[in-house]
């Protein structure tokens, strides 16, 4: 079956996020008020052909641990997308 | 009020996504089967102080149009996050 998943990778809390900080400064420079914090990360959308939704999620978790995220400084979250 | 929003920026359909393609090749090289397509993008989480949720979403939309996304080749989506 076809399963669409989204893996979102963000810095772990406490890890410096220079890209988020740079975006925050750029937004302030453009005149946007009320921006209290900005965090930047990456998103990887996967179209998988798997035995089941559970198998697809398990595969995506392994992909994130082995390739998509750096477990030392990043955490990831996996969400199912509408097929 | 405090509003947390997530802006997800992806390449428009039809625009080349070399990062997604590279991830797909790397996953195949690692032995993952059943990966049919990979799309890579970025995600920006914003903590905003705004008059209302609608005002926060309007601000985030303007931020995306002016800074976060390149409207020529990228599309964006805004989601509310649990506060």
């Amino acid at each position: 079956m076809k399963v669409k998943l989204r893996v979102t990778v963000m810095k772990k809390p406490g890890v410096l996020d220079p890209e988020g900080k740079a975006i925050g400064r750029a937004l302030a420079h453009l005149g946007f008020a009320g921006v209290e914090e900005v965090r930047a990360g990456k998103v990887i959308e996967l179209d998988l052909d798997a035995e089941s939704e559970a198998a697809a999620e398990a595969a995506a978790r392994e992909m994130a641990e082995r390739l998509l995220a750096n477990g030392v400084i990043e955490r990831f979250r996996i969400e199912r997308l509408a097929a």
Side-chain angles (χ1 to χ4, degrees), chain A:
Chain A
M1 65 182 296
K2 313 291 184 188
V3 183
K4 286 180 183 283
L5 297 171
R6 184 202 289 169
V7 181
T8 305
V9 181
M10 306 292 291
K11 292 281 171 61
K12 286 183 176 174
V15 175
L16 283 179
D17 175 9
E19 187 180 356
K21 290 277 181 285
I23 293 169
R25 280 195 300 272
L27 290 172
H29 188 72
L30 286 172
F32 288 104
V35 181
E36 301 200 328
E37 191 164 335
V38 181
R39 291 171 301 280
K42 57 190 172 183
V43 59
I44 301 102
E45 291 185 359
L46 301 163
D47 293 359
L48 302 181
D49 187 14
E51 294 285 309
S52 64
E53 290 187 347
E57 286 198 23
R61 179 166 301 277
E62 196 185 340
M63 291 174 197
E65 288 168 352
R66 291 183 62 191
L67 182 74
L68 306 177
N70 174 352
V72 177
I73 58 169
E74 293 173 328
R75 64 193 159 85
F76 65 86
R77 184 177 58 242
I78 297 173
E79 295 158 282
R80 193 117 18 110
L81 298 178

